[in-house]
Amino acid sequence: MTMKMKKAFLYIGMVSALLGSCTKDFNELNTNPTAIPSEQMEPNYMLSRTQYNYANTGYSQLLFQSMWTQVFASTFNYYSNGDKYVGSANLISYQNRIWEEDYQAASIATEIGRLAKDKGLDNLYNASVIMRILIMQHVTDCYGDVPYSEAFKAREGVVSPVYDTQESIYKSMLAELETVTAALDPSKDALTADLFYKGNIAQWKKLGYSLMLRTAMRLTKADAATARTYAEKAAAGGTFAGVADNARVMTDNSANFGNGTSAALLVTDDYRDVKWSKVLIDYMRRNNDPRLTIIGEIPQAGLKANEDASKAGDRDSSRQLGMPNGYDQRGGATDISRAPGYPGGTGPANDFAPLGNYSRPTTALYTNRSGVEFVLTYAETELLLAEAAVRGWNVGGTAAAHYANGLTGALQSMATFNAEIGTFTPTQISSYVNAHPLDQSSTEASLKQINEQYWATTGTLFNFIETWCNWRRSGYPQLTPVVYVGNFSGGTIPRRIPYHSTEGANNPSGYQDAVSRLGGTDNFTSRMWWDK
Amino acid sequence: MRQLRLMIFTLLLSSVAFAQTRQLTGSIKDAKSGAPLPAVTVQVKGKNLATVTGADGAFTLKAPSGPLTLQVSLVGYGTKTMDVGPNESNIDLVMDESSTQLGELVVTALGISKESKKVGYAITKVDGSVMTQARETNVAYSLTGRVAGLSVSSTSGGPASSARILLRGMASFGASSPLFVINGVPIDNTQRGSAGEWGGSDNGDGIANINPDDIENMTVLKGASAAALYGSRATNGVILITTKGGKKGTLQVEYNMNYALDKAINFTDYQYEYGQGQLGSKPATQNDALNSSRLSWGSRLDGSQFTQFDGKTYAYSPFKDNISNFYRTGSTFTNTVAVSGGNDLTSFRLSLSNLHNEAIVRNSGVTRKTINLNVDQKVFSKLKVSVMANYIDEHSENRPQLSDGPMNPNNGLFLANNIDENILAPGYDAGNNGREVTFTDDIYVTNPWFVINQYRNNFDRKRLISAITARYDLTNWLYAQGRVGYDMINDRQFQVTPWGTAYQYGVQDDVTVSGSMNLRTQQITEMNADALIGVKRDITQDINIDVALGANLRKTNNEIVAIGGTNFIIPYLYSYNNVKQFNRDNQLYHKESQSAYYSVDLAYKNFLTIGTTGRYDTYSTLPEANRNLFVPSVSASFIFSELVNIPNLTYGKLRASWANASGEPTDYYITQQVYTVDGTINNTIVASFNGDLPNLNLKPFTLRETEVGAELKFFENRLGVDVAYFHRKTTNEILRGDLSWTTGWNRQFIGTGSTQNKGIEMAVTGTPVTTNNFSWNVSVNATNVKNKILDIYGSNSTNTTFTLGTYRPLNANTALVKGMPGPQVMAYDYLRDANGNILVSDDGLPQRGELTPSGSVLPKWFGGINNDFTYKNFNLSFLVDGKFGHKLLSASNYYAVYRGLHKMTLDGREGGVTLSGVKADGSNNSTAVAAQTYYQALAQNVSAINVLDGDFIKLRQVTLGYTIGDKILHSTPFQSIGISLVARNLWTIMKKTDNIDPEAGFSPLINYAGIEGTSLPSARTYGVNVNVKFKR
């Protein structure tokens, strides 16, 4: 070997040594400097995230359930999925929305639970389970049998979770709720990022039992015995005592955590084209409901004014007019101008608003971009207790008293949207409540009245999935389906949402199993377990 | 062997009798050393008369009288011919290795030059001149149809859009462009944002920044063994760019001017019988007109007057000129000046170039200034230093949004067939607070004139690609080389969704607000440091060895800083102090790889070369246990024509190679779970966790390729054939797979993908005619690739499809399907009964059936034919290319059917459509449905109708040039002037798609390959190129 070759190999050796010395740092190099590693993570901070994500699913609900339940109506083709059960181009992404939003929110809740357990944060763990159940009930109520027992376990390698039956999911949720709600303890760790109650553990306990009550009452058709057992447990444990206990999220638009429902309603097309349904406004008028003075407004005349959110409408309750569901603006037989009682449009020919005489949701009440998102309310729990009492279950108090509390809570809750417009005086409330006692002429009459009120209350509080669930369970109000050419539900009101469109590809075994239990078709019409 | 050949020739000789003969004697020597060359075959051309030289290099040959041509040949020295006069009898010849006409050098990996005959894998060199005359704003487009095995697809996204460049098919799931290497320095070719189903603009790729005037040539290294030395990024192949340099002893000033005009091509062939309206009626009111501005379901266009959505009255008559009216004539003006020269110690080239482009979309275009400097300096006799600096300053104005409606300037493409798009101008209402004038019932379909006049989407890039190389020749056979390459990119994107935008118009806290803005800066740096020791020497007289040992360090940093705001408070003031909400983003990415490699070539007598390479990589992106990988390659080349003499075969080479290449994940930080703080809600802290499932078991993926090929030249090189067969397979491919949302994470990184590509690529070059004044050269290339997805989620998984991209109608997508060629178009068929009859719904409509794989979007066959004619100083060339055997997913087709523009929708306008099929009860359908209801349900439910056959043949390029040479210019300062007229995309000779360009597409990403919709129309380009070389 010549001297020069020796030199050459020396150089190579030096270079390799230089390179080799650096690889130790590769672990550090492959760590994201803008993210937080597990060991530094404070799990409390994710509680606010899961609460916000779950509460802020209003846009998804506007698209489907707000109109399936005939709370809202629209002639706009974009809302055909909701108003007429006719697929628009975006139907698949809409049917996926709640699935994605809720599973994501629930996965955060699950992750909080995992970290909380590791760190010995008992209250946080228990709160995270309540959150997970709250969200998962939303999911199963929309889709039916879904992954539950094996969900959220990709970390453990479970990437094709089984679809549990809704029955087993409900029973599991009830049992878990009982455990974690009882275990909440004000003397233990504080919840430091709680959007519902600012860490008030007593209120979390009430939330746990109120959720238990709602979960139990969902089973009146499918398994009345279980429903009764847990409804009674919930009542004994203590449900919401007033609207101060309402579970809700105040959104914060300035921090980019705005109210998605408001944002959707303020989009020009939606603003112009989403109207209260004739069914709801007629109900309110029939019952002389004071909410009719605040929830709707007739836009100022003309299309430009109909599109301009700065132009307040007329809230005079005598002028409010709901729009019938099932109409369009295509000039044919189902054109809105051919609807019975069509009031005509407003504005001159070059600024004509064909829907200008129908009531829209009041802008000042409902479209605050930092406005409230209701999750679960005192009004709902009191109405459910009223029903339980009507059924003769031992939930404390009388059906009539619970019903009166329900009406009171419903009216009082409106102030959270906007205190200026939404506040009713105690006198207004008591005179309305006193004038509308529970009809106890028969069990059926009571159930009808309670559940129609539940429909109007959850509808005006924009909890449309809850409105839809309770309609499916109770059958009230009796709604007439829209029958429109090309609809996806055989001319009936949808009773479920088809599964997420990628489940067939991403979890074929679980999906196929679930679809076979549906009778082979993943559609909008199959009834889920508690709806049979 | 020598004896055998001698025997054969002797036999041949003895079998021939001569009428008149003479004796030729002579000797043949090596040109360099002067040593006598034994065993040289000496032959009288055209006759079976031959002999071989003896040990002393001498020969004696009986030859016929009269003039003749003597041909001598020797392995390793090639063939040489010499004319012998009738009276000559003593002939002395020298031969040298360079006398072989095929001793052409090619640049291979790491910039190592090799004789092409020694290369054991497929390489194609493309001369820079094909990129400079008929220009594209992305130089990669100029490779279309030129190179066997290389498929280039453009993006319908405006000037300097990205290219999808696939070498030998879809190499892997995430197949992207080959690695581009400029003068030995790998450069960043990352795609900077592209459109998906929800819109987006194409912000170009890295290769588009390069000025074609600076390119001497490009060398396409197709196979894995060619590219093995580049490690992870070479799995998609490598394209080496050599830039122009200065030549010793010259000083040259050159000026090049190119001016090209772009004209949008109208591919539509819509129906113009029934106009705007719904359910067979023309709009009765202004509101009807607004609701039907993009629906041609009205009554017969009869010229009657009606009220349009703008409240004005128009004739109800066809309007066919929207594409030619709305899109202006675009232009690209490029000026380049270059100075080059050199002496014994220094050579250099400096060029300055300016490109000014105006796109066919108004208020949109690109300007690009480049400075390129190459200097080679001999510091002293053994040390040579080269410096390259390429500075690019690019500004693109208003890059168009594609695919989806928001801010898309192409939203007029599906207007009802009686509307003049110009009535939408200027798109905003100055009298109504500048609000967008909406023209449809969907505010997310922005008024195209509003987009042109108000939208801002500017993209700036400042980039310096630099390299310094030092080479020290320790001896004449040993050298050491060091190189540092640095590619630094600064991008700045400024976007304004303007005040008045309909879908962002609203009220907040009683103030009217609208619009948003975003400023995003990104700095990417890539540093490559290489050290190399090279040995090149003869071990024996017949065996030569060429060794390179080296190491590489690569560091990549990427930082994004963005600020944004939504809802302007004061109209038209686009300042971050004038917004109601702020947002910000900061992302930091680092990665590094360390590698060592070797390359050894052993050559025997210059006709047999065996090469091997190996590379050991360590990747920072992978988990500690699995971050190292060694990948080897072996190749061989054999010049069989040196051993056997086949009539008319001038040169024959066989080559074979086997190689492994490796790849790392393209994503960063995927090996641990992380959490992020997202801000606050009413002062409560909000945090979340990342939905990407970390994977601690990832390994580098590998690609294994076997290639065999042949290179043959016949008739004194007038016909050449190059054929290659390749077979490549990936294993452990890392893919970012979707997880079911139910698992808690929505994406996972798994390492179980496997793709196979096999195919044949072929290039034929010929010179059918060549005379003093006229020559005709033709080159043909054709490629056949068969792709198959072997595995996706691992053999244990029941999942067989991996969803890729979709189009805006959302009712079909592309996907990888195990066992099938990828990517497949997945579309819904009709719902059918057990007998295959179409099942019609009770109301007479087609229903959605199975989601069915409907064919791959990647062509099975592609290729091109280029003809080049030269007559005196004229030159004419034209390129025809085509692609075959693939499908497209067309949103335009969906819209054309859904909106009543497609000619097929004429059927059933009167009396409705009765779909031939059966109802649920088994009876034949007899329900007639209004045409609008029927075709809209068809387009939505049966997306299979939007799967089109993508075959096409195009006349891609024609150039006609004339060169004014010395003779005419002798009294001028000019040395030569070349003028050429050029045209690109002149004629679509064959296509099978209605209404669209089969090459249309909104994204260069493999996920969106074959998917098109609502993008810029393709353009035809006409131009002139003037090249002036000045005298010294």
Side-chain angles (χ1 to χ4, degrees), chain A residues 411-427:
Chain A
L411 296 187
Q412 286 174 341
S413 295
M414 300 306 287
T416 320
F417 282 120
N418 179 337
E420 197 183 321
I421 296 171
T423 305
F424 296 103
T425 62
T427 323

Side-chain angles (χ1 to χ4, degrees), chain A residues 27 48 111 252 256 329 503, chain B residues 287 582 627 675 682 685 740:
Chain A
N27 289 338
S48 49
E111 186 68 4
D252 185 357
N256 294 313
Q329 291 190 52
E503 280 294 285
Chain B
N287 189 56
F582 296 98
R627 65 166 65 119
Y675 306 81
N682 295 315
I685 297 165
S740 165

Side-chain angles (χ1 to χ4, degrees), chain B residues 254-528:
Chain B
E254 187 177 347
Y255 164 72
N256 197 91
M257 186 281 285
N258 190 292
Y259 187 71
L261 297 172
D262 294 326
K263 193 79 191 135
I265 309 173
N266 185 353
F267 280 97
T268 63
D269 181 23
Y270 290 150
Q271 65 85 13
Y272 290 95
E273 291 178 41
Y274 293 86
Q276 180 181 2
Q278 299 204 63
L279 298 169
S281 305
K282 80 174 186 187
T285 64
Q286 187 186 349
N287 189 56
D288 281 356
L290 185 74
N291 288 337
S292 62
S293 64
R294 294 182 302 144
L295 295 171
S296 299
W297 295 111
S299 55
R300 274 194 180 278
L301 286 163
D302 55 5
S304 59
Q305 298 291 305
F306 78 109
T307 304
Q308 190 52 280
F309 54 78
D310 58 1
K312 295 181 185 149
T313 305
Y314 296 92
Y316 197 55
S317 306
F319 191 85
K320 301 184 178 181
D321 298 330
N322 279 333
I323 289 183
S324 56
N325 285 356
F326 181 75
Y327 298 98
R328 66 180 174 185
T329 301
S331 64
T332 311
F333 190 32
T334 315
N335 288 286
T336 305
V337 181
V339 186
S340 63
N343 57 31
D344 286 345
L345 293 177
T346 308
S347 64
F348 76 98
R349 179 176 180 276
L350 173 68
S351 79
L352 306 170
S353 183
N354 183 54
L355 173 148
H356 181 84
N357 164 280
E358 291 186 347
I360 58 172
V361 173
R362 289 174 165 85
N363 291 335
S364 174
V366 176
T367 55
R368 184 193 300 145
K369 294 172 176 60
T370 53
I371 304 172
N372 189 56
L373 175 69
N374 277 327
V375 178
D376 283 346
Q377 174 72 41
K378 252 187 194 167
V379 179
F380 52 90
S381 68
K382 286 180 172 175
L383 180 65
K384 191 174 121 182
V385 176
S386 310
V387 176
M388 171 189 76
N390 191 0
Y391 181 73
I392 296 132
D393 186 345
E394 189 174 278
H395 172 75
S396 26
E397 192 83 11
N398 295 335
R399 299 203 71 102
Q401 293 284 324
L402 311 172
S403 175
D404 198 6
M407 294 301 149
N408 190 329
N410 308 295
N411 282 333
L413 292 172
F414 306 100
L415 274 177
N417 55 12
N418 50 285
I419 299 179
D420 178 351
E421 193 168 351
N422 283 338
I423 71 170
L424 275 55
Y428 58 94
D429 183 354
N432 185 19
N433 212 0
R435 279 185 81 162
E436 175 188 346
V437 176
T438 52
F439 72 107
T440 103
D441 57 356
D442 184 352
I443 49 167
Y444 289 98
V445 176
T446 311
N447 183 324
W449 278 101
F450 181 81
V451 178
I452 283 172
N453 288 323
Q454 305 290 72
Y455 181 54
R456 295 291 165 265
N457 183 18
N458 301 343
F459 196 86
D460 292 316
R461 166 169 293 186
K462 291 180 171 53
R463 178 176 191 177
L464 179 65
I465 304 170
S466 59
I468 179 159
T469 308
R471 175 174 163 138
Y472 189 83
D473 289 307
L474 292 121
T475 71
N476 61 359
W477 55 266
L478 176 68
Y479 68 93
Q481 179 177 293
R483 173 158 51 215
V484 178
Y486 197 65
D487 185 1
M488 182 168 71
I489 300 172
N490 282 286
D491 286 341
R492 180 184 191 272
Q493 185 173 19
F494 179 67
Q495 263 178 319
V496 175
T497 300
W499 175 268
T501 298
Y503 64 83
Q504 285 194 348
Y505 206 84
V507 169
Q508 245 181 53
D509 313 322
D510 298 328
V511 180
T512 301
V513 290
S514 78
S516 61
M517 63 193 289
N518 195 42
L519 173 66
R520 188 174 188 270
T521 61
Q522 182 171 21
Q523 186 179 69
I524 299 177
T525 57
E526 172 169 336
M527 193 275 293
N528 274 280

Side-chain angles (χ1 to χ4, degrees), chain A residues 463-482:
Chain A
N463 257 336
F464 306 114
I465 287 180
E466 187 55 30
T467 315
W468 178 53
C469 291
N470 203 62
W471 167 78
R472 285 180 290 157
R473 176 186 74 84
S474 69
Y476 295 113
Q478 287 160 327
L479 300 171
T480 308
V482 167

Side-chain angles (χ1 to χ4, degrees), chain B residues 19 237-238 331 342 491 630 687 730 776 786 899:
Chain B
V238 175
S331 64
D491 286 341
F630 176 73
T730 58
W776 172 24
K786 286 198 180 90
R899 305 198 170 282

